[in-house]
Amino acid sequence: MPEASSASESNPTRAPLPALTPEFIAKHYPDQLRVVHVDLLHRHGERTPVAHRIPEISPRHWNFCAAGNRLHQDFLRAVDHSTGSAAATPDGGADRGGQWQNFIFKKDARSGSSGAVFGVTSAEAQHASDASQPTDATCGFGQLTDTGRHSMAALGAHMRALYVDALRFLPDTLQTSSTLYLRTTSYTRTFESLQHTLGGLYPDLPSASPLLRVHVRPSDRDNLFPDFSCKGMVRQFIKLNAQNLERRGDDYQRLYQDMLAVPSLRAFFGTEFKPGKARVAISVMDVVAPMRAHGVALPDGVSDDLIARVTRMAAVEYLQSAWQSPALARMQIGRLVHELAGNVVDAVQADRAVAAASQARLSIYSGHDTTLAPLLAVFGHDAAQPVPDAPADLAWPAFAASVRIELLKDTASPHPTVQPAWEQDAAHPSADPLSVPFDKRIRPTNVPQSLYQWSSGRGRLGPTGAVNPRATRDYYVRVWYNDRTLRLPTCRDPGAHHSQLGPSVCTLDGFFKQIARFAATEKETRGECLAV
């Protein structure tokens, strides 16, 4: 069985995956535990910076897309063939697949805010020390590189080694398209990341394989990343980030002084670094992380320690606030959490009805760092903390980072015998779930009462008219982030996790309780966005 490569072996910026040793399988997937459904959410693979920033250290021409450029043209033609899409060009002609191309910032059209160069007047500027020249391998800004393609194929191969080869949860080859549910944002780099993840999961599919449908939502309705037209979210986001930066003002100033000590960065930071006023650390990280990922030499003085400090400050600038405010995290990612809760419900119902063949076994969502970051805040939020805050080691999601939500079933191990204290807070079954305040909910509103109108006795299984609080006790949920399991705060209670596998394997109700205050319908999200 292949072992996953460590992130540090070939690419220090790639998210790590666990080594699939026999010991690992025996520990995490004992014989009595069966996988029912998996949701895989991943960040895209390695890409170029989204703009030509800090030209004093970064190349104007990123020549890491030799295979990617050939495959990208095939991709655009395939999209156009499947959707019939064509965007108009200034001369009135048709730009085949143009609605996709504009998301990787064309090499010959770097304009607008996305193409601005910090500290330099022209987006086409090239620093005197930059010897890079354009070639057939030159990438666009924000484009998935050949390295990123390899990373995503490796993620798919890891999923195959685990769920096909080791666990026999997925079939060896696809017989029906319903086995997989596929979603991506409308960015080319996420669509192509999904393509290569599938290539690793099911390599060399025969031509007779079923046609796979990839679901893409319009950007104004996409729930895979925050919607910055949500005014309530933006207000909270700006307020909390400003407070966090003010608290870390001394750290910002020390970072500023250390950056000024690097000659090649002095011009940039002398004009652009505004502690507490701009998200500069994110801009630096967007350049430095791709440089490290692709082996581009960093200037003298830019050490691993300095990069780590920049990365931590980027997390303060953008990620920390979602941990501090459930309302902010809910507006950022609550609609997706609601959808994921529905996936779990559908999988339980299909499993009970012995209709798993019609239910997707694996759902893959191809997204961004802004997909995973607020989702991690949802899974890590501890309502028992007097003042919720992010962990001290909060880090930016790496390229190809992934979250896996596994629905598991165990009918053999002893069930938890202790009732979690929060179960006493359940609203009356007849109450309108949407009328219950978010912080009082013990399960998302799309978890139907019928899920609990079920006899769970081991002698007789089946629907019943009476509500049975223990109806879901054979089902568990485990959440993985890259190579480690997450211990959800609500699942630490002895009555809310697997009696033998511990707090990393939540009871279904424990999982529902953790995400309940974050799962929001479209209507609820619109209401919070408009609230003053």
Side-chain angles (χ1 to χ4, degrees):
M1 183 180 302
E3 295 187 1
S5 60
S6 168
S8 60
E9 288 179 2
S10 58
N11 184 352
T13 64
R14 181 189 300 170
L17 293 169
L20 300 181
T21 62
E23 293 77 16
F24 175 90
I25 297 298
K27 175 182 178 181
H28 294 286
Y29 300 93
D31 291 341
Q32 75 273 19
L33 201 67
R34 177 169 65 86
V35 181
V36 177
H37 176 81
V38 178
D39 284 328
L40 169 65
L41 304 99
H42 66 70
R43 185 189 179 192
H44 54 74
E46 288 85 342
R47 57 158 173 79
T48 56
V50 298
H52 185 35
R53 298 184 174 114
I54 324 182
E56 291 83 0
I57 69 170
S58 66
R60 171 182 165 190
H61 304 288
W62 291 73
N63 299 325
F64 302 102
C65 297
N69 285 340
R70 293 192 300 272
L71 293 170
H72 182 66
Q73 295 306 314
D74 293 339
F75 161 79
L76 291 177
R77 284 191 289 270
V79 168
D80 183 60
H81 175 75
S82 299
T83 64
S85 61
T89 58
D91 61 2
D95 177 13
R96 309 303 287 177
Q99 64 171 320
W100 292 91
Q101 177 67 24
N102 61 22
F103 284 106
I104 64 163
F105 308 129
K106 293 181 180 180
K107 296 187 291 294
D108 59 349
R110 300 169 191 166
S111 59
S113 60
S114 61
V117 178
F118 282 71
V120 179
T121 58
S122 170
E124 295 295 336
Q126 186 166 11
H127 196 263
S129 63
D130 181 7
S132 66
Q133 297 297 322
T135 71
D136 290 343
T138 301
C139 312
F141 288 130
Q143 184 174 347
L144 186 73
T145 64
D146 293 347
T147 300
R149 294 171 186 275
H150 288 303
S151 294
M152 302 316 298
L155 177 63
H158 180 84
M159 296 300 119
R160 181 175 182 84
L162 177 60
Y163 293 120
V164 177
D165 299 338
L167 302 178
R168 302 298 177 189
F169 165 64
L170 294 174
D172 184 64
T173 187
L174 286 177
Q175 302 296 327
T176 173
S177 60
S178 64
T179 301
L180 304 177
Y181 173 80
L182 308 174
R183 270 274 304 280
T184 177
T185 68
S186 55
Y187 282 72
T188 308
R189 59 179 174 267
T190 55
F191 203 120
E192 293 182 338
S193 291
L194 175 60
Q195 176 188 14
H196 288 277
T197 301
L198 285 172
L201 178 62
Y202 284 107
D204 303 319
L205 280 175
S207 58
S209 297
L211 184 66
L212 298 176
R213 181 181 297 274
V214 178
H215 299 263
V216 185
R217 295 185 181 181
S219 57
D220 61 343
R221 293 179 47 234
D222 203 336
N223 60 11
L224 283 175
F225 48 70
D227 176 10
F228 278 88
S229 69
C230 173
K231 295 181 180 179
M233 184 199 77
V234 172
R235 281 194 295 268
Q236 281 209 35
F237 184 75
I238 293 174
K239 177 182 177 181
L240 287 172
N241 286 350
Q243 293 173 352
N244 290 331
L245 291 174
E246 184 176 358
R247 285 199 297 268
R248 299 291 294 274
D250 291 344
D251 294 336
Y252 237 96
Q253 287 292 346
R254 283 191 292 270
L255 181 62
Y256 173 42
Q257 294 299 327
D258 290 344
M259 287 291 188
L260 285 179
V262 181
S264 57
L265 295 179
R266 190 174 297 134
F268 170 75
F269 283 97
T271 59
E272 298 299 329
F273 197 90
K274 299 179 178 66
K277 301 296 183 181
R279 297 201 302 269
V280 176
I282 293 176
S283 299
V284 176
M285 184 183 66
D286 186 68
V287 173
V288 172
M291 290 177 70
R292 292 186 75 199
H294 297 93
V296 178
L298 292 165
D300 292 339
V302 180
S303 63
D304 286 346
D305 176 68
L306 195 63
I307 293 172
R309 290 168 59 196
V310 169
T311 302
R312 286 196 295 270
M313 195 56 67
V316 173
E317 289 178 338
Y318 194 98
L319 307 184
Q320 186 172 338
S321 53
W323 290 75
Q324 298 166 325
S325 168
L328 176 59
R330 186 166 56 245
M331 285 185 280
Q332 288 180 333
I333 208 69
R335 295 174 301 156
L336 177 61
V337 176
H338 187 269
E339 179 176 331
L340 296 174
N343 290 353
V344 171
V345 170
D346 290 345
V348 169
Q349 292 176 329
D351 183 68
R352 284 175 171 175
V354 197
S358 61
Q359 171 73 21
R361 294 191 179 187
L362 172 65
S363 298
I364 304 179
Y365 295 80
S366 185
H368 307 262
D369 43 14
T370 51
T371 306
L372 300 191
L375 199 58
L376 293 173
V378 168
F379 293 139
H381 176 78
D382 189 349
Q385 284 186 337
V387 182
D389 205 351
D393 61 349
L394 180 65
W396 201 271
F399 293 120
S402 62
V403 167
R404 275 184 293 134
I405 304 171
E406 294 179 325
L407 175 65
L408 309 166
K409 188 175 185 179
D410 183 351
T411 59
S413 299
H415 296 128
T417 57
V418 180
Q419 184 181 23
W422 41 261
E423 280 196 354
Q424 303 296 330
D425 299 331
H428 190 274
S430 62
D432 176 10
L434 291 172
S435 69
V436 180
F438 282 108
D439 62 346
K440 298 297 184 182
R441 296 177 182 178
I442 68 168
R443 61 183 65 101
T445 57
N446 57 338
V447 177
Q449 182 171 295
S450 60
L451 202 68
Y452 297 87
Q453 293 173 322
W454 185 268
S455 174
S456 59
R458 285 176 177 162
R460 176 186 175 276
L461 297 176
T464 176
V467 173
N468 174 14
R470 305 266 71 82
T472 62
R473 64 181 182 174
D474 290 341
Y475 293 96
Y476 300 85
V477 174
R478 176 168 54 202
V479 181
W480 292 86
Y481 179 50
N482 297 329
D483 61 346
R484 61 188 176 93
T485 56
L486 300 181
R487 294 193 173 192
L488 279 58
T490 56
C491 302
R492 297 171 189 159
D493 191 304
H497 61 252
H498 194 280
S499 60
Q500 296 178 345
L501 298 178
S504 65
V505 181
C506 300
T507 61
L508 186 58
D509 281 340
F511 174 73
F512 283 156
K513 172 61 177 175
Q514 178 67 33
I515 67 173
R517 69 172 58 208
F518 299 97
T521 64
E522 294 280 350
K523 183 177 180 180
E524 287 176 316
T525 300
R526 286 195 300 271
E528 287 198 295
C529 287
L530 295 174
V532 177

